[in-house]
Amino acid sequence: MRLRNPLLASASPLSQTLHGVRRLADAGVGAVVLYSLFEEQLRREAENNELMAAQGSESYPESLTYFPPTVDSGSRAQRYLRLIERAAAAVDIPVIASLNASTPGSWARYARCMQDAGAAAIELNIYYLPGDAGVDSAAVEQRHLDVLAEVKTAATVPVAVKLSPYFSATADMVHRLDDAGADGLVLFNRFLQPDIDPETLSTVRTVALSTPADTRLPLTWIALLHRRIRACLAASTGVEHAADLAKYLLAGADVVQSASALLRHSPEYAGVLLQGLSDWLSRKGFQSVDEVRGLLAVPESADAEARERADYVWAVRKANSGFYENY
């Protein structure tokens, strides 16, 4: 896709309505990722519809072909498709659909419907925490590949995979997804599990917005993967200032996604980020984003493991040195 700039509004409550999508587009973002359609929601809705359709089906012959009118009309999936259609017609930037899945299922059908409704691309948000001790790492990795394969069989628009950072061999997983046809990789999904309140003795389901401190892990992997895979790289998490945009681009990100900053300040804050990036480029003497992208990525000729180990050792020694100086 050709974008007017590298800043994308990632999936969030801001893209749940046509009005929200318009505000983001008017604020200047290069593309909008709609809020996620969750596997669990679709499965639950399908099960409810089956129960409704089956009620009374044995009562008399006429009921065998009867389906309640609410089975399809007004369903979550249909509302999502209508939003895609209306948003794609209302704004002049790409509208990207988002599927949040953890298991292979009927994703091909949904992906194709999203494409037909006007989605310029599909982001597969594969959020899976393998809590079953009987599931090994190979099965976890294969699940990601299976979900991607199912969607790729149906969709011809670009498909990006939003990954967790918690693989034992992240680079290998990225290369396998790249080989399997992923057009883009979004690094990374955020860990959004509950906290614990020791006073009420209960779990607390809250979502904390990201901060610039959260950029370190995506920065590291983007710098390592730049030009080592075919798929595009999208940075996600921790964008609060224009400097964070610049960092991700210097590391090698093709695009940078933001949600927390836009939720914290308003959709119009996208214009502040973009103006700040433009001012930085001018101040540093760069004529375009292309001149910046990957400038500080790990060179292809370098030993990536040795480079990261050296950076780690330097950081630890620097921290230890400062500690002993103070004490």
Side-chain angles (χ1 to χ4, degrees):
M1 296 185 296
R2 295 189 61 84
L3 306 177
R4 62 189 182 187
N5 62 63
L7 178 62
L8 275 62
S10 54
S12 80
L14 294 174
S15 57
Q16 283 187 328
T17 65
L18 180 61
H19 175 66
V21 172
R22 279 178 169 153
R23 284 184 67 185
L24 290 165
D26 291 344
V29 298
V32 174
V33 183
L34 297 183
Y35 74 100
S36 294
L37 195 58
F38 283 80
E39 169 187 350
E40 290 81 0
Q41 295 170 329
L42 294 172
R43 187 187 302 120
R44 190 179 306 116
E45 191 168 71
E47 290 170 353
N48 290 338
N49 287 341
E50 287 181 8
L51 287 173
M52 292 174 66
Q55 285 180 357
S57 61
E58 301 296 331
S59 299
Y60 39 87
E62 291 87 346
S63 66
L64 294 176
T65 57
Y66 171 76
F67 286 87
T70 55
V71 168
D72 293 319
S73 62
S75 69
R76 192 179 299 274
Q78 288 296 330
R79 291 196 300 271
Y80 195 90
L81 295 175
R82 283 198 295 271
L83 177 60
I84 294 174
E85 188 173 18
R86 294 171 65 200
V91 299
D92 60 354
I93 59 173
V95 174
I96 301 170
S98 175
L99 270 174
N100 193 306
S102 63
T103 60
S106 56
W107 300 115
R109 178 167 65 90
Y110 289 116
R112 184 68 196 191
C113 289
M114 289 174 170
Q115 175 178 316
D116 293 343
I122 295 169
E123 181 179 275
L124 277 177
N125 189 333
I126 306 178
Y127 189 95
Y128 174 51
L129 185 65
D132 184 351
V135 177
D136 62 18
S137 58
V140 173
E141 294 168 359
Q142 189 59 48
R143 178 177 293 199
H144 286 68
L145 295 168
D146 290 344
V147 173
L148 173 62
E150 187 166 342
V151 171
K152 287 291 290 185
T153 59
T156 57
V157 295
V159 177
V161 178
K162 193 168 188 177
L163 277 179
S164 159
Y166 304 115
F167 288 95
S168 57
T170 300
D172 177 67
M173 188 72 248
V174 165
H175 278 90
R176 291 174 67 189
L177 288 165
D178 188 41
D179 292 341
D183 300 288
L185 293 161
V186 185
L187 308 179
F188 285 108
N189 210 331
R190 294 185 63 214
F191 188 75
L192 298 176
Q193 296 301 327
D195 198 357
I196 290 179
D197 186 333
E199 294 301 322
T200 62
L201 308 182
S202 62
T203 56
V204 182
R205 291 175 174 171
T206 60
V207 176
L209 299 180
S210 68
T211 69
D214 297 317
T215 61
R216 294 292 186 90
L217 191 58
L219 273 174
T220 297
W221 279 110
I222 289 169
L224 285 169
L225 294 169
H226 178 67
R227 293 193 176 178
R228 286 179 165 83
I229 60 173
R230 174 195 57 83
C232 295
L233 290 170
S236 179
T237 299
V239 176
E240 177 67 17
H241 309 290
D244 302 313
L245 262 175
K247 287 179 183 180
Y248 274 134
L249 293 170
L250 286 166
D254 291 286
V255 294
V256 181
Q257 294 191 3
S258 177
S260 292
L262 303 182
L263 286 167
R264 192 178 283 122
H265 301 290
S266 82
E268 287 69 30
Y269 188 68
V272 176
L273 291 173
L274 289 167
Q275 185 58 54
L277 177 64
S278 178
D279 293 344
W280 176 81
L281 288 168
S282 178
R283 181 159 49 85
K284 293 297 181 181
F286 295 112
Q287 300 300 312
S288 70
V289 169
D290 289 337
E291 292 181 48
V292 172
R293 188 175 285 114
L295 201 60
L296 297 182
V298 177
E300 293 176 79
S301 58
D303 183 330
E305 289 186 9
R307 163 72 178 270
E308 289 308 309
R309 179 67 184 177
D311 288 344
Y312 166 74
V313 171
W314 181 90
V316 172
R317 293 176 69 177
K318 177 71 173 177
N320 287 340
S321 173
F323 177 82
Y324 286 121
E325 287 176 2
N326 293 326
Y327 294 91

